[in-house]
Amino acid sequence: MKVILAGINVEADLVKEAETVLGVEMTPEVISAAYARISRDPRDVNILRKEARKEVKKARRSNESIVFDMGHSSIAEHAVLNFDIIGISRIAVEAIEHFRLASYTEKSQRYIRLGRDHVIPKEIVENGFRDEFFELVELLSLYYEELYKMIIESGSASGTAKEDARYLMPLATSAQIGMTVNARTLEYMISRLSCHPLAEVREFSDRLADIAIRKVPSLVKYPDPTEYYKAMPLIRAEAGMASSAKPDEKFKRVDLVDATAHGDTALAAGIIFSGSDSSYSDSYAAASKMKKEEREAIIASTMKEMKSFDGVWREFENIDMLFEVVVSASCYAQLKRHRMTTQTVQPYSTGLGVSIPDSVKKAKGIGIFRKAIKSSESLYRKISDKAGISADYLLTNAHRRRVLVKINMRELYHFSRLRSDSHAQWEIREISDMMCALAKERFPYGGAILGGKDRFPAIKKSQA
Ligand SMILES: Cc1cc2nc3c(=O)[nH]c(=O)nc-3n(C[C@H](O)[C@H](O)[C@H](O)COP(=O)(O)OP(=O)(O)OC[C@H]3O[C@@H](n4cnc5c(N)ncnc54)[C@H](O)[C@@H]3O)c2cc1C
C-alpha cells in the first residue's frame, strides 16, 4: 500500500510568493486533471499528477473535456478554494450558507460585542431611503448598547448580554465568514447567486466569479445566471398566491408535520437487513412480527457501547421526520448550519411576532425592546412596496420566519447532542428540545436517547 500526500490548501499570499520564486502557475486544477485520468490511464496517479503539473494548459483542456463534455463533474470536487468574506450583511450570509456542500465559519454575534458596521443596500439608496435607513440602523445600535448595559446591570453575565442584546440588531449588520468550497459547488453557487433578488448577493457572485475564472477556469465554466434560476422566486410566489392556502398567523413553534410510518419497525428492519442476507421486505416483515419488546431490544443493542460523542448507526436514517418550526433570524442563523437536513424557508414575516430573550424581561428591557421592533417595522412597512425584498435588511435578529426541516433520526441525534446541550444558545436549545420530545413520542425506541451531550449519561442511565 502507498498513501502519498498529493496536496494541501495553502494560504494565498504564500502561493503568490512561491509562484514568483518558482516562475510557475499554481492551481488546484492539476489535482483534478490527474484524478480525472485515473480511470483511463494505467500509470500510477502520482505520476499522472506530476505530468499534469508540468503542463497546466493541457491539464485545463483535459478538465474541460472530462467535466463539461463528458459530464464527469465530480472531478471538479478535487479542487478546493478558501475565501475570506468581509463586510457582507447577515441577510446575504443566509444566501451564501444555503449551499450545503461547502464549509463555513462565521464571526459570531453571540460572542462578540457588536460595533456599528452595516451594509447599506444598493436598492435602498436607489429608492431614496438612504437617510432613513441609516438613521434606523444607528437607532437600533443605540438600543442594542442600552439593552446590553441593562442586561449586565440586572446581574446577567456579559456573555448573556452580548448573546441577547443582539436580538435588536438589523439583518443589515456586517458579518465575516471563512468559506471553503470545491470548484463544482463554487460554479453552482456563482450561478445561483447571480440570480438572487438582492444586489449585494449578486455583487458577491460577481466577485467570486472573477476569482474563480482566474484561478480555476477549466472547472468553473458556466457561472452565468440562467433563466431557470431567475424564474424561481416568481414561480414560488405565484404558486403561493394561486393556492387556497390561507395566511396563518396562529402557529406552533415546533410541529412534527410528517414522519415515516412505523419508523421504529423500519429502523429494526434496517438493522436486521444489514445483519442478514434477507431482502428488505422480508426484514421488515420479520420486524413487524416481533413483539414490541423484541424490537426495542434490537434497537437498544445498537446503543449499548455508545458514548456522548458517538453518532447512531446509519440504519437510523430509515426514520425521516418533517418538522415545521418558527424561529427568529438569530435562531435561523444557527439552524441553517445543519447541512445534513433539508430546509425550506418562507420569507421573514412581521406577522409571526418576535423572539424575546428572558434576560431582557429580567432586565426590565421589554419597553426598549418593543420600541426598537416598532421602529424597525414602521420603516420596513413604509419602504416594502418600493424596495421589495431589500426591506428585509431592516428587520432584526428577533423577527421570525417559518422553516420546514426534513431530518432523519441519525441527524436528529447529532443535532440534539449539540443543540440541546447547555452550551447551545437558548432559542435553538428550546427548538431542539421540542423536536426531540415530538420525535421520542412518535418513535420511543429509535428516539430513546435523544438529547444534549451534557445530559448523555443521565439519559442513557434512564433507559438502562
Ligand atoms: C455551541 C456552539 C457554538 C458555535 N459557534 C459557532 C461560531 O462561532 N461560528 C460558526 O461559524 N459556527 C458556530 N457553530 C456552528 C458549528 O460550527 C456547526 O456549523 C453547526 O453546529 C452544524 O454542525 P455540523 O457541521 O456538525 O452539522 P451538519 O452540517 O448537519 O453536519 C452533520 C455531520 O456531517 C458531517 N459533515 C457535514 N459536512 C461535512 C463536511 N463538509 N466535511 C466533513 N464532514 C461533514 C459531520 O460529521 C457533521 O457533524 C457553533 C455550534 C455550537 C453547537
Side-chain angles (χ1 to χ4, degrees), residues 267-432:
L267 167 55
I271 300 163
I272 294 169
F273 177 86
S274 24
S276 70
D277 54 5
S278 306
S279 68
Y280 181 72
S281 51
D282 280 347
S283 306
Y284 190 90
S288 305
K289 271 190 227 139
M290 284 174 172
K291 290 193 186 123
K292 270 199 320 204
E293 306 77 60
E294 288 175 301
R295 266 200 303 272
E296 181 184 11
I298 285 196
I299 296 169
S301 69
T302 70
M303 300 172 179
K304 224 167 21 198
E305 300 299 333
M306 193 182 199
K307 302 282 182 298
S308 65
F309 46 79
D310 289 321
V312 291
W313 295 9
R314 187 171 281 203
E315 288 87 337
F316 282 70
E317 293 184 21
N318 283 3
I319 303 180
D320 271 321
M321 288 158 278
L322 186 65
F323 289 96
E324 182 175 299
V325 301
V326 173
V327 291
S328 72
S330 200
C331 186
Y332 177 64
Q334 302 166 78
L335 183 64
K336 71 175 163 26
R337 297 295 299 278
H338 290 271
R339 295 159 292 178
M340 294 291 138
T341 63
T342 302
Q343 300 186 19
T344 315
V345 294
Q346 285 183 347
Y348 287 104
S349 163
T350 53
L352 293 170
V354 288
S355 294
I356 308 181
D358 281 347
S359 67
V360 172
K361 295 173 199 158
K362 185 176 148 207
K364 301 201 171 21
I366 295 280
I368 186 171
F369 199 93
R370 293 261 179 235
K371 263 202 248 171
I373 298 297
K374 202 171 159 198
S375 312
S376 149
E377 290 182 2
S378 92
L379 187 56
Y380 171 82
R381 272 192 282 272
K382 179 174 168 192
I383 74 170
S384 281
D385 277 351
K386 263 189 156 179
I389 188 185
S390 70
D392 282 8
Y393 281 92
L394 295 172
L395 295 178
T396 67
N397 279 326
H399 282 97
R400 290 169 164 172
R401 72 183 342 164
R402 271 201 192 84
V403 187
L404 267 185
V405 184
K406 185 165 176 290
I407 188 166
N408 64 53
M409 187 61 91
R410 189 179 184 203
E411 178 59 15
L412 187 59
Y413 268 95
H414 175 68
F415 181 79
S416 74
R417 292 286 183 263
L418 293 175
R419 301 303 188 176
S420 283
D421 183 75
S422 57
H423 293 97
Q425 188 262 349
W426 63 268
E427 188 177 351
I428 197 156
R429 195 169 58 235
E430 284 177 9
I431 297 291
S432 174

Side-chain angles (χ1 to χ4, degrees), residues 452-464:
K453 61 182 178 322
D454 57 340
R455 285 187 291 131
F456 179 78
I459 300 171
K460 199 166 172 208
K461 205 164 157 202
S462 73
Q463 295 299 315

Side-chain angles (χ1 to χ4, degrees), residues 37-96:
R37 293 221 192 118
I38 288 180
S39 47
R40 286 171 182 75
D41 194 311
R43 288 172 297 169
D44 282 351
V45 62
N46 57 322
I47 309 289
L48 300 177
R49 179 161 50 78
K50 285 193 178 118
E51 196 171 88
R53 195 182 69 209
K54 276 192 244 146
E55 292 193 66
V56 170
K57 271 194 194 148
K58 198 168 152 201
R60 283 188 169 137
R61 277 201 304 276
S62 152
N63 280 342
E64 284 174 21
S65 129
I66 292 173
V67 175
F68 297 102
D69 300 340
M70 287 169 57
H72 189 170
S73 311
S74 55
I75 292 305
E77 294 167 26
H78 295 295
V80 174
L81 294 89
N82 310 99
F83 295 92
D84 302 339
I85 304 164
I86 300 168
I88 189 127
S89 71
R90 284 288 286 205
I91 197 139
V93 168
E94 291 184 358
I96 298 168

